[in-house]
Amino acid sequence: VMANYYTHLAFEIKATHVDAERFVQLIISANAIDDSEAILLGPEIEPAFRSEGKTAEQTLAEIVADFGLGVECLFNAEFGKLIVFDRDGAPNVWALAQCLQRLYPEKLPLGFVYAETCDKSREGGFGGGLFAIGSDTIVDHTLARMLDEELAGLGEASDAT
């Protein structure tokens, strides 16, 4: 029997109206790639995606790899927060982390967690993970990996006694 797998996320970033506009521009550009449309990055975000030997559009296209970002956002001006959440249960979490690193270097470190679910009870169908984003590094840990590390640590502790 087939099963459907989903990834969900929701997190906040301290942001100004300009920050929120830049993120909306990013979503529009990533969706254009996902829809196989020609893209032209606006001047608000183009500098963040410049790379040596490539246009900013080529860099963004490589990051989102024809999958888009799969996220939407809301801006709460009263509290100065940009709320990012998955659109359809299939956000491109690695691409999202890379885009946040490029788009908001002044806000680093940033991070978010995500949940993985399944509509059938399947081994490996549930879990999630985290992304911790620094200026030079993006750390990606899954719950399965964290569990393996904890169990290995417990095993070593048992062996020592």
Side-chain angles (χ1 to χ4, degrees):
V1 176
M2 296 286 293
N4 296 303
Y5 295 87
Y6 305 97
T7 301
H8 297 288
L9 59 80
F11 61 94
E12 298 175 344
I13 301 171
K14 288 185 180 183
T16 64
H17 185 74
V18 171
D19 294 330
E21 287 177 350
R22 289 170 57 208
F23 197 79
V24 169
Q25 179 64 45
L26 172 65
I27 292 171
I28 291 168
S29 298
N31 287 343
I33 293 167
D34 187 31
D35 295 336
S36 300
E37 297 174 12
I39 62 165
L40 180 61
L41 298 183
E44 307 84 10
I45 68 169
E46 188 270 338
F49 292 93
R50 288 183 188 150
S51 294
E52 191 172 320
K54 298 177 190 171
T55 67
E57 290 81 7
Q58 288 171 323
T59 301
L60 179 60
E62 287 178 9
I63 291 171
V64 300
D66 299 326
F67 295 111
L69 288 176
V71 297
E72 294 183 6
C73 67
L74 295 172
F75 178 60
N76 183 322
E78 182 180 351
F79 295 103
K81 292 183 179 181
L82 178 66
I83 302 146
V84 179
F85 53 94
D86 66 281
R87 179 179 64 217
D88 56 6
N92 188 343
V93 291
W94 182 250
L96 178 59
Q98 292 177 78
C99 287
L100 290 171
Q101 184 184 48
R102 287 175 168 271
L103 199 59
Y104 299 122
E106 72 283 359
K107 297 185 180 306
L108 299 175
L110 289 172
F112 63 90
V113 297
Y114 61 94
E116 295 175 331
T117 62
C118 181
D119 64 358
K120 306 270 191 255
S121 293
R122 298 281 166 90
E123 182 179 349
F126 301 90
L130 66 86
F131 278 87
I133 307 160
S135 58
D136 297 325
T137 306
I138 298 175
V139 177
D140 168 20
H141 287 295
T142 65
L143 283 176
R145 179 177 166 193
M146 289 185 270
L147 177 61
D148 288 345
E149 290 172 359
E150 290 300 322
L151 291 174
L154 292 173
E156 291 169 10
S158 314
D159 294 341
T161 57

